[in-house]
Amino acid sequence: ASGEVPYTTFMVSAETKEKEPEFVESIVRAIYKAQQYVQKADDKDIAEAMQPFFPDTTLADLETVSKSYRQIDAWCADPVMTEDAYGRLLDVIEGQGDLMGRPALTDLVDNSFALKVMGQ
């Protein structure tokens, strides 16, 4: 029912994009590699990979989380942020009371690095 939610975002200044494009590209490439892993790995493997970041959570619970995300198609398959996914991200932020406006996707998102690491 929810669809993709950008659970990982990467923000840099315009200056960093201009002066250190290789750095930006390397981070986006790492995100894409992780996204490809999540698409191919089973829920048990994903739970084991998440365990160090959630030491107080059981592997069984983390596996349930992975299954749930997969069932609602919440895992993003690539680093390109679509209008729909961006809207869902804004909805989440807005629901927390932390959003003062809804900026346009094109004002905040540069998908050029994502497209490059995907070979497009």
Side-chain angles (χ1 to χ4, degrees), residues 4-116:
E4 285 187 351
V5 178
Y7 56 89
T8 300
T9 59
F10 172 59
M11 294 181 262
V12 296
S13 67
E15 181 180 358
T16 299
K17 285 188 343 180
E18 182 182 314
K19 292 184 177 182
E20 300 181 64
E22 298 85 11
F23 167 73
V24 175
E25 185 178 325
S26 70
I27 297 295
V28 176
R29 181 173 280 106
I31 291 169
Y32 185 41
K33 185 176 180 180
Q35 289 171 318
Q36 290 176 312
Y37 170 79
V38 167
Q39 295 299 312
K40 295 174 185 171
D42 64 27
D43 295 315
K44 183 176 185 246
D45 289 339
I46 292 170
E48 289 172 355
M50 290 190 307
Q51 181 71 58
F53 302 97
F54 300 95
D56 297 331
T57 307
T58 68
L59 280 173
D61 286 344
L62 291 172
E63 190 171 347
T64 298
V65 168
S66 179
K67 284 180 186 177
S68 295
Y69 270 53
R70 195 177 308 280
Q71 288 172 347
I72 64 169
D73 194 28
W75 295 118
C76 294
D78 62 60
V80 173
M81 189 173 303
T82 65
E83 283 280 353
D84 286 344
Y86 178 70
R88 285 187 204 94
L89 176 61
L90 292 181
D91 291 345
V92 169
I93 297 168
E94 189 172 55
Q96 296 298 310
D98 296 328
L99 191 63
M100 297 173 67
R102 292 182 73 93
L105 173 84
T106 55
D107 290 342
L108 297 179
V109 177
D110 177 352
N111 280 317
S112 66
F113 290 94
L115 294 170
K116 183 175 181 182

